[in-house]
Amino acid sequence: MITIKYFGMLAEHTQCSEEQMDFKPLTLSELVQDLKVKYQLNSASFHVALNHKLIQDSEDITLQLQDEIALLPPFSGG
Amino acid sequence: MKKKTVFIEGAISPSFISDSIAKHQSKHTIGGHNIFLGQVRADEVEGKTVAAIDFTAYEDMALEQIAEIREKAFKTFNLTCMHIYHSLGKIKAGEICFFVFVSAKHSKEVYAATEYLVNIIKNKVPIFGKEIFEDNTHQWKTNIK
């Protein structure tokens, strides 16, 4: 299983803060593309974190079992 | 890496802040403290006024980020003590939601460290603010870079 978490306006938009998916050997960018289609996220601005680390270039990363992916809108603490 | 308490449910009270100051009176190598307090502002947007901000965070990631930030700041600024607190949940306009408290031998280090910490936490830590207007509608807060 892999876990996908959504925060802030993305959790509001997807009406979901966390979901689990069966593991498939996708790249991280393929997964994100699937999620963009599933939730119509093309106009949204967000960063992707994999296992708590921000990922800039997700094309060369293949998902592993137990990975935790998070879609993070712009940060606005403080 | 050791994870310190950062997130506090609800507003940060003035008594919590004064207790934090009092706890440092036994640390006699400290010559200067500096404090930044973030307060929820009642911004006006298109005729509506912000009544509160509801903060959420990706807590696991945020705590790891802050632990790294702490380690770097200790090395860079020669600090004796550093405390970082951020509220979660609904914080009303006028209440304190962010508390950065640094202590060192001399004033120079604490000014620089405070500015560094406040900026990096706003920009690099996954915390999200939902600005709630008086009529219960909302917009998502954005930070000025």
Side-chain angles (χ1 to χ4, degrees), chain A residues 25-37 46 48 50 55-63 69 71:
Chain A
L26 297 171
T27 65
L28 183 56
S29 66
E30 286 168 337
L31 173 73
V32 171
Q33 191 52 43
D34 287 352
L35 296 173
K36 278 186 178 173
V37 173
F46 60 87
V48 177
L50 175 64
I55 302 295
Q56 302 301 338
D57 187 358
S58 57
E59 282 179 18
D60 297 330
I61 299 172
T62 304
L63 294 175
I69 293 99
L71 304 195

Side-chain angles (χ1 to χ4, degrees), chain B residues 51-65:
Chain B
I53 299 179
D54 190 359
F55 286 103
T56 51
Y58 185 9
E59 287 187 54
D60 292 341
M61 179 174 163
L63 293 174
E64 288 176 14
Q65 300 267 49

Side-chain angles (χ1 to χ4, degrees), chain A residues 12 52-53 68 76-78, chain B residues 58 64 86 127 129 138 141 143:
Chain A
E12 180 178 74
H52 307 159
K53 301 280 180 216
E68 180 175 302
S76 55
Chain B
Y58 185 9
E64 288 176 14
H86 200 292
I127 300 171
H138 69 265
K141 178 176 182 273
N143 280 351

